[in-house]
Amino acid sequence: MTSLKSEVSLEVPVGAPAIYAVLADGWSYSSWVVGNAHIRDVDPEWPAPGSRIHHSVGAWPVNISDTTVVRDSVPDRLIDLEAKLWLLGTARVRISLEPLSGSSTRVVMQEGALSGPGRLMPDILQRLLLGPRNAEALSRLADFAVGRARQP
């Protein structure tokens, strides 16, 4: 198992099922994942282990098409992903949901390079590069989950 180099967390004022519902909706991925530009397809069994999101990264006209694969998933508790990015390699991204109360959840996002040039970066550099990006991703995920929870 690879070491996850970066960890950020955020307390979100909704229950874990509301947050997991966003994670389980592969089509919402580009709404909260920083750098993800477009979802091309989502396997029907998403977020079952082995299922994939087919996405594009980057700004037009320089879009790179790739996939993210579910390594593990436990409803209302976690999703563990392997994100691929063409020649740059792969990264492991683990999002854990820790219920604090019926209406509040601590969301923890951990990430680390699995393969490619990112594995050559010192741990401190990975943390410096991934931390702010993942903090923004958690903020977007929280806004998305809270907004969905408010809808009738």
Side-chain angles (χ1 to χ4, degrees), residues 34-55:
V34 175
N36 194 282
H38 175 74
I39 302 300
R40 298 185 326 277
D41 194 19
V42 178
D43 288 358
E45 58 275 11
W46 180 271
S51 62
R52 301 172 188 274
I53 291 177
H54 307 268
H55 54 82

Side-chain angles (χ1 to χ4, degrees), residues 67-89:
T67 59
T68 292
V69 180
V70 177
R71 295 165 54 110
D72 192 16
S73 177
V74 178
D76 303 339
R77 298 298 293 164
L78 77 89
I79 190 164
D80 195 344
L81 306 170
E82 184 172 327
K84 297 180 181 179
L85 184 55
W86 194 51
L87 295 176
L88 297 178

Side-chain angles (χ1 to χ4, degrees), residues 12-14 18-19 22 139-152:
V12 182
V14 294
I19 299 164
V22 176
S139 178
R140 292 178 186 188
L141 175 63
D143 290 344
F144 207 88
V146 169
R148 275 190 174 183
R150 289 182 182 158
Q151 294 177 352

Side-chain angles (χ1 to χ4, degrees), residues 3-130:
S3 171
L4 294 163
K5 308 297 183 193
S6 173
E7 178 175 311
V8 295
S9 66
L10 181 66
E11 185 174 335
V12 182
V14 294
I19 299 164
Y20 189 81
V22 176
L23 298 173
D25 176 3
W27 292 102
S28 76
Y29 196 75
S30 63
S31 298
W32 61 271
V33 175
V34 175
N36 194 282
H38 175 74
I39 302 300
R40 298 185 326 277
D41 194 19
V42 178
D43 288 358
E45 58 275 11
W46 180 271
S51 62
R52 301 172 188 274
I53 291 177
H54 307 268
H55 54 82
S56 300
V57 177
W60 184 88
V62 184
N63 285 79
I64 298 169
S65 296
D66 230 319
T67 59
T68 292
V69 180
V70 177
R71 295 165 54 110
D72 192 16
S73 177
V74 178
D76 303 339
R77 298 298 293 164
L78 77 89
I79 190 164
D80 195 344
L81 306 170
E82 184 172 327
K84 297 180 181 179
L85 184 55
W86 194 51
L87 295 176
L88 297 178
T90 60
R92 179 177 177 201
V93 181
R94 181 180 177 95
I95 301 170
S96 304
L97 308 177
E98 302 171 3
L100 300 173
S101 70
S103 60
S104 183
T105 305
R106 180 173 182 248
V107 183
V108 179
M109 178 184 276
Q110 299 170 297
E111 183 172 357
L114 286 173
S115 68
R119 290 220 9 128
L120 302 176
M121 278 191 238
D123 293 357
I124 187 75
L125 185 56
Q126 283 193 52
R127 283 192 292 278
L128 288 171
L129 292 173
L130 297 173

